[in-house]
Amino acid sequence: MVSRIYLIRHGITEGNQRKWFYGKADLPLADTGKETLKNLAARGIYPHIPADADCYTTGLLRTEQTFEILFGNREHKVISKLREMEFGEYECQTYEELKDYELFDQWCYDESGDARLPGGESNNEFYARISEGLKELRGYHQLKELSHRHSGKDAVSVVVCHGGVISAIMQVLFPEVNGNMWDWIPDPGFGYMIEFNKGEAIMYERIEDIKKLGFGLMRLPMNEKEVDIDQTKEMVDLFLSKGFTYFDTAYGYLDGKSEEAVKIALVDRHPRDSFQLATKLPAWAAATEEEAKQMFETSLSRTGAGYFDFFLLHNLGDTRTAAFDEFHIWDFLAEKKAEGKIVNLGFSMHDKAEKLEEILQAHPEMDFVQLQINYADWESLTVESRKCYEVARKYDKPVVIMEPVKGGSLAVLPERISRIFKEADPDASLSSWAIRYAASLEGVLTVLSGMSSLEQMQDNLATMENFQPLSEEEQKVIVKAAAALDAMPQVPCTACRYCEKGCPQQIAIPGIFRALNNYMIYGNKEGAEGNYEWETREGGIASKCIECGSCEDVCPQHIKIIKELKKAKEMFE
């Protein structure tokens, strides 16, 4: 059983538009507020709450109207103690109108919390009232948990209330998180999901204006060696028209042509606030600190974006992480964030969970992480999708998922495995199962799909436009297919790397076996060749093997490594 409370701020009112101080005033939603909420709901940013969820408002008109737009005529209760702060005689006035009043000045700069506006309430009185309201809410929610304990159904409560109230609640529930009241206040129409365990708040995630499908720009349609800009424009326009807004590129994608295509197809043709753009900096590909830092400016220039909504240190893991430390990239990008050129700063990583935890412990300031997650790698001993996902959840980091279709391998499966999916749903594509699996995980910001044709995009949009998480029965289908994949013949390598340590030729043995397995299991020759090229980029190719046997002597899995390297040589070289 999962236990969650959703806190959602009401939509835009005249008070928000005019920047009034107001709380008790019973203002309705502005027409803009109603329209914005409808648009946000159409884009699918709000939770799909169960039919038996407990719902609440504060009884004020703006919360009632917001609730009706988002959740219809569901039955709900009123918790009046969760109303906004009362500003008394100063209600519905702006800072400019009030700044010369002595009492207002005293209230603004009061550190005791006892200063009160005429006819209003002090900060201490407000927080005490909200604490009582939160206690009432948690009491109701605990009853919901108790009623669902034996059935195993999720216990969900939804509250439509106010910005200051949500901020106060979040400060109470997560006192260890740095930030003042203004940091916690969500924009109108947004809010938080809070997860509980044994009555204690254990994590939260923001309700974001991002749908669960991101356009990965690594595999754009090509005309020989150039990006097919006309088709890319069509894909961008279709993607945006369906309410999807997240675009993902990188400094090195298509030798820089991906970022250039972003400018032509997206940035130059659509309002900057209508989409989120992510790109990445691969410091390990630079020879000097200056060159690594220049990558940021190059990406900014190529895209013409002005700023990046999401910026990533690209592909941490193995020996690559050291370059970001050596070239002081963490601090450099923190400065760019302070300058407003980065909104959210994170990193992508291909390594094991232990390494991910080390990085998150060293850099708690990261806003999000990007991880390889798909059902085939969920229990993989080399990728550790599940373990990495659990580490990200442990540190309250939203996850952007890459490789949900495993580089296309899960879109074309062996017949006996694809039959499992076709018997369950003859009309669903194999890739739709993989993408929905990834998007069904909690704490996922979006799922990237590297689309290289209009047809691929149309298939993904059909799957995700009205996204529904996998049902219990559908999850069983995934488990069955994953087990069948695991039973396919493959090299049983766990990437312990004992073989590499004693190899006189420095052959990239675990990486070569990953490429070999990709072909053996999925029959994806092109993808496997790409894997091999990447894994042996520093020269440790299979044909360098001198058959000394030192690798086989230390292999815990007793793999016939020399024999498998000969297979890889024949297949990839």
Side-chain angles (χ1 to χ4, degrees):
M1 180 191 78
V2 174
S3 174
R4 297 191 186 98
I5 294 178
Y6 292 91
L7 301 176
I8 301 173
R9 186 181 179 186
H10 62 76
I12 298 167
T13 67
E14 182 184 4
N16 300 127
Q17 294 171 325
R18 294 179 178 271
K19 298 182 179 179
W20 285 342
F21 287 89
Y22 75 102
K24 189 175 183 179
D26 198 9
L27 301 180
L29 294 179
D31 289 342
T32 302
K34 295 176 183 177
E35 198 60 34
T36 300
L37 287 171
K38 291 174 184 176
N39 290 338
L40 291 173
R43 290 208 286 268
I45 78 159
Y46 296 109
H48 294 279
I49 61 174
D52 69 343
D54 285 345
C55 301
Y56 307 90
T57 70
T58 65
L60 293 179
L61 186 55
R62 55 191 181 272
T63 64
E64 293 290 334
Q65 290 177 325
T66 298
F67 185 88
E68 183 176 1
I69 289 170
L70 300 186
F71 304 109
N73 60 355
R74 280 178 181 248
E75 183 179 343
H76 61 278
K77 298 177 183 177
V78 169
I79 303 180
S80 58
K81 288 179 181 177
L82 293 181
R83 291 178 179 176
E84 188 60 278
M85 174 180 278
E86 297 180 9
F87 296 94
E89 295 176 14
Y90 292 172
E91 288 261 333
C92 300
Q93 296 186 65
T94 67
Y95 174 79
E96 289 299 318
E97 293 170 323
L98 296 172
K99 65 181 182 180
D100 294 328
Y101 287 82
E102 184 178 348
L103 288 176
F104 180 74
D105 188 67
Q106 291 174 359
W107 176 80
C108 282
Y109 297 101
D110 170 49
E111 295 184 359
S112 70
D114 292 327
R116 183 187 298 108
L117 297 175
E121 59 185 338
S122 69
N123 278 310
N124 287 339
E125 289 170 334
F126 170 69
Y127 280 100
R129 173 165 62 80
I130 299 306
S131 292
E132 287 297 311
L134 177 59
K135 183 178 179 181
E136 182 178 345
L137 170 64
R138 294 180 76 171
Y140 291 143
H141 189 70
Q142 285 171 354
L143 290 175
K144 169 67 69 176
E145 289 176 333
L146 287 171
S147 69
H148 283 12
R149 180 167 295 171
H150 296 295
S151 67
K153 293 193 298 182
D154 293 346
V156 176
S157 298
V158 179
V159 187
V160 177
C161 53
H162 312 268
V165 173
I166 293 174
S167 174
I169 290 174
M170 295 302 287
Q171 289 177 76
V172 169
L173 295 180
F174 299 97
E176 73 284 359
V177 178
N178 293 328
N180 57 39
M181 62 170 285
W182 302 108
D183 295 327
W184 283 111
I185 294 178
D187 290 335
F190 294 90
Y192 298 91
M193 182 281 290
I194 305 157
E195 192 163 302
F196 293 82
N197 183 28
K198 297 179 180 178
E200 296 299 319
I202 58 171
M203 60 80 60
Y204 70 90
E205 62 187 53
R206 291 177 174 83
I207 296 174
E208 303 273 8
D209 185 13
I210 298 175
K211 292 183 79 170
K212 291 287 184 75
L213 178 67
F215 188 173
L217 301 159
M218 184 172 67
R219 301 182 180 94
L220 290 173
M222 304 294 287
N223 285 327
E224 296 183 355
K225 294 184 178 181
E226 298 300 322
V227 174
D228 182 342
I229 288 294
D230 289 338
Q231 188 174 178
T232 300
K233 286 179 179 179
E234 280 190 77
M235 294 168 72
V236 165
D237 294 350
L238 179 60
F239 190 74
L240 288 170
S241 73
K242 297 296 185 179
F244 295 89
T245 57
Y246 193 102
F247 294 82
D248 173 86
T249 183
Y251 175 86
Y253 285 178
L254 303 177
D255 293 324
K257 292 175 183 177
S258 175
E259 288 187 334
E260 292 170 357
V262 165
K263 184 178 191 304
I264 299 169
L266 175 64
V267 175
D268 288 348
R269 300 174 59 249
H270 294 278
R272 183 62 185 87
D273 61 357
S274 67
F275 60 87
Q276 295 92 23
L277 180 60
T279 195
K280 313 177 193 73
L281 187 156
W284 39 265
T288 65
E289 181 171 334
E290 182 180 3
E291 182 184 348
K293 291 179 177 178
Q294 182 57 39
M295 289 176 175
F296 180 87
E297 302 301 334
T298 300
S299 292
L300 210 56
S301 174
R302 280 178 185 160
T303 61
Y307 65 92
F308 295 108
D309 303 273
F310 294 83
F311 196 88
L312 300 93
L313 293 81
H314 191 188
N315 198 4
L316 275 65
D318 292 331
T319 59
R320 298 182 298 278
T321 305
F324 296 93
D325 298 328
E326 181 183 346
F327 295 153
H328 307 102
I329 299 301
W330 303 96
D331 293 337
F332 170 71
L333 293 179
E335 291 170 6
K336 295 301 175 184
K337 184 178 180 183
E339 293 171 11
K341 294 181 179 179
I342 295 171
V343 180
N344 298 283
L345 180 59
F347 61 89
S348 63
M349 195 198 77
H350 289 277
D351 209 330
K352 295 194 174 184
E354 182 181 3
K355 294 297 182 182
L356 174 61
E357 184 150 23
E358 287 177 9
I359 293 170
L360 289 177
Q361 285 176 345
H363 296 282
E365 74 278 9
M366 292 293 100
D367 298 309
F368 70 103
V369 296
Q370 184 165 309
L371 302 172
Q372 176 174 328
I373 295 177
N374 55 68
Y375 66 79
D377 290 327
W378 189 243
E379 296 295 351
S380 165
L381 297 175
T382 54
V383 181
E384 292 191 347
S385 281
R386 176 182 58 79
K387 290 182 178 179
C388 286
Y389 168 75
E390 289 172 350
V391 169
R393 297 290 284 164
K394 174 181 175 182
Y395 287 88
D396 294 333
K397 301 301 178 186
V399 177
V400 173
I401 290 181
M402 56 183 165
E403 302 291 356
V405 194
K406 200 172 172 65
S409 295
L410 300 182
V412 184
L413 292 166
E415 170 60 26
R416 69 187 186 89
I417 297 172
S418 63
R419 195 184 311 125
I420 294 171
F421 290 113
K422 291 301 178 183
E423 288 174 355
D425 187 346
D427 298 324
S429 67
L430 296 177
S431 60
S432 72
W433 281 93
I435 290 174
R436 285 183 62 215
Y437 173 83
S440 296
L441 295 168
E442 292 295 333
V444 170
L445 193 64
T446 196
V447 177
L448 302 177
S449 179
M451 295 172 271
S452 54
S453 71
L454 198 57
E455 291 72 27
Q456 289 177 6
M457 173 160 284
Q458 288 167 339
D459 180 56
N460 284 342
L461 292 178
T463 299
M464 297 301 291
E465 187 175 1
N466 297 301
F467 168 68
Q468 292 289 337
L470 291 175
S471 68
E472 202 171 306
E473 288 305 310
E474 289 172 323
Q475 291 282 6
K476 291 177 181 177
V477 173
I478 290 282
V479 170
K480 183 178 180 181
L485 280 172
D486 285 342
M488 295 285 286
Q490 57 186 291
V491 183
C493 174
T494 65
C496 67
R497 301 190 182 278
Y498 293 154
C499 56
E500 281 188 331
K501 292 174 184 176
C503 177
Q505 300 298 93
Q506 297 183 309
I507 297 172
I509 298 170
I512 290 172
F513 288 169
R514 274 196 291 273
L516 201 56
N517 283 337
N518 194 3
Y519 181 71
M520 292 171 66
I521 298 170
Y522 306 103
N524 184 355
K525 183 71 181 294
E526 184 179 352
E529 287 173 342
N531 293 155
Y532 184 81
E533 183 179 345
W534 169 257
E535 297 291 355
T536 61
R537 65 194 181 280
E538 295 181 1
I541 59 177
S543 58
K544 281 190 171 183
C545 178
I546 58 174
E547 302 185 28
C548 66
S550 62
C551 54
E552 295 186 357
D553 290 341
V554 296
C555 178
Q557 309 303 320
H558 307 294
I559 298 168
K560 301 296 182 184
I561 295 175
I562 296 170
K563 177 183 175 183
E564 300 297 344
L565 288 177
K566 287 179 180 179
K567 285 184 188 177
K569 174 187 172 183
E570 292 173 8
M571 186 173 296
F572 300 123
E573 295 182 27

